[in-house]
Amino acid sequence: MNDYLDLERYFGLLTKYSVEELLAPSIMGLRRLSWEHLLTERFSLITARANFGKTMELRACAQRLRDTGRHSVFVALHRLLEEPDFQIALE
């Protein structure tokens, strides 16, 4: 399935990796960061459980950026480990 549904996700700014901090943004609406905010930073780390849509979301974001003339590359970490050539791992 390659259909992407934009869920207008928001992300949480974490300074510790604790249960309380993981739950706080969703429960209390605190520190909610949009894609626009994340893209102003030099880098961001996005973590979530398996099958939560990270790969699909990041692919779609990279494509949106390219569609608007911005430079964007998506590289799945597992592809870097599997492919002998970096160019092949690029999508």
Side-chain angles (χ1 to χ4, degrees):
M1 174 190 251
N2 288 330
D3 295 333
Y4 173 72
L5 174 63
D6 186 359
L7 299 175
E8 298 180 14
R9 293 182 196 246
Y10 282 87
F11 304 91
L13 175 61
L14 305 179
T15 56
K16 298 178 280 197
Y17 204 73
S18 67
V19 173
E20 295 80 18
E21 197 171 58
L22 287 170
L23 294 176
S26 60
I27 293 173
M28 300 164 61
L30 301 175
R31 297 171 292 186
R32 291 172 39 122
L33 307 173
S34 66
W35 268 115
E36 290 75 25
H37 181 88
L38 290 182
L39 294 172
T40 64
E41 300 297 330
R42 185 166 180 215
F43 68 90
S44 297
L45 176 65
I46 298 174
T47 62
R49 296 171 71 178
N51 297 317
F52 267 53
K54 296 176 301 292
T55 299
M56 195 77 125
E57 184 79 27
L58 291 167
R59 268 194 189 118
C61 181
Q63 186 61 53
R64 278 193 309 271
L65 292 170
R66 286 191 297 270
D67 290 347
T68 61
R70 294 172 69 184
H71 298 288
S72 177
V73 175
F74 172 77
V75 181
L77 291 178
H78 71 89
R79 294 285 307 261
L80 288 176
L81 298 173
E82 295 169 356
E83 299 294 344
D85 184 356
F86 180 73
Q87 293 293 327
I88 295 172
L90 295 176
E91 294 187 21

